[in-house]
Amino acid sequence: MESIRNIFCVGRNYRLHAEELGNEVPKSPFLFNKPTHALVEANGQEILLPGDRGAIHHEVEFVIHIARTYKKGMNVEDVVDRMALGIDFTLRDVQSELKKKGHPWLLAKGFLNSAVITAFRPFPGVEACRNIDFSLLKNGELVQKGYLRDMLFDLQTIIEFTSEHFGLGEGDIIYTGTPAGVGPVANGDRLTLNWGEEALGECTIKML
């Protein structure tokens, strides 16, 4: 996997996903980070995940790659050069305990191999992506499906918000949020990430 500088993730960016976990629907983008050590490409191999920290949930997401430093007034096509699909793995039991204590989510979101990603491909533009679905299959069964048009905060809003609060530059990537249907993975599960009818990446879960 090429050098990635920062991994930004948008939480609760699909209304039905926020509601399925009993979370308030946000009024502005809600972001967190993953360390670069979490990143792993889904190229058909086994991906190792911790099996002793409670349930691990899959969250499939549309991912954008930033080509240059964002400056005020730029649009999505000015700064995004490539796209991919990803899975934001979450230690759900750990996250629930962290929420109760008001603690950051890093332990639940930043563990090794928690940021799965497919190979990047050229970004065709916002309009070309709006009506193409992205989805996750588990052992051949559809478990999540979403469209960019259903995001609470669109790509332009996400880019502007991220730049304003954290800075945004070449080599950064943004996981833009997951649709409804998140659920647990188990040892041996085969996961396939689809863009429309095309499989962009696959991996098999290996619990340690």
Side-chain angles (χ1 to χ4, degrees), residues 63-84:
V63 183
I64 54 176
H65 179 274
I66 304 301
R68 58 188 56 85
T69 300
Y70 174 81
K71 296 181 181 178
K72 191 172 183 179
M74 286 181 168
N75 61 34
V76 175
E77 283 81 2
D78 293 329
V79 293
V80 176
D81 62 344
R82 286 176 290 167
M83 56 159 278

Side-chain angles (χ1 to χ4, degrees), residues 50-57 89-111:
D52 59 351
R53 303 181 205 171
I56 299 178
H57 281 196
F89 280 123
T90 303
L91 288 164
R92 192 66 73 198
D93 296 336
V94 174
Q95 185 189 39
S96 295
E97 288 304 310
L98 293 171
K99 285 180 180 178
K100 290 177 184 177
K101 298 174 182 178
H103 290 175
W105 292 0
L106 187 58
L107 285 173
K109 292 284 194 178
F111 55 97

Side-chain angles (χ1 to χ4, degrees), residues 1 6 10 17 27 38 51 56 61 64 67 113 128 147 179 184 203 206:
M1 177 60 66
N6 294 293
V10 183
H17 169 60
K27 301 289 194 300
I56 299 178
E61 312 205 7
I64 54 176
N113 298 335
Y147 294 88
C203 61
K206 178 70 172 178

Side-chain angles (χ1 to χ4, degrees), residues 82-165:
R82 286 176 290 167
M83 56 159 278
L85 298 181
I87 302 173
D88 162 22
F89 280 123
T90 303
L91 288 164
R92 192 66 73 198
D93 296 336
V94 174
Q95 185 189 39
S96 295
E97 288 304 310
L98 293 171
K99 285 180 180 178
K100 290 177 184 177
K101 298 174 182 178
H103 290 175
W105 292 0
L106 187 58
L107 285 173
K109 292 284 194 178
F111 55 97
L112 289 174
N113 298 335
S114 64
V116 172
I117 196 165
T118 67
F120 284 100
R121 57 171 50 197
F123 178 63
V126 175
E127 287 306 313
C129 292
R130 278 178 55 81
N131 296 316
I132 300 177
D133 65 88
F134 63 97
S135 60
L136 182 69
L137 278 66
K138 182 170 71 172
N139 303 320
E141 179 182 353
L142 179 67
V143 288
Q144 285 189 269
K145 182 177 180 178
Y147 294 88
L148 268 66
R149 65 177 185 243
D150 294 330
M151 294 193 301
L152 293 171
F153 307 104
D154 62 17
L155 296 181
Q156 185 70 38
T157 301
I158 291 168
I159 287 171
E160 292 174 358
F161 184 91
T162 306
S163 176
E164 177 184 356
H165 292 276

Side-chain angles (χ1 to χ4, degrees), residues 161-180:
F161 184 91
T162 306
S163 176
E164 177 184 356
H165 292 276
F166 308 108
L168 192 62
E170 180 181 358
D172 293 342
I173 62 174
I174 305 176
Y175 283 61
T176 60
T178 194

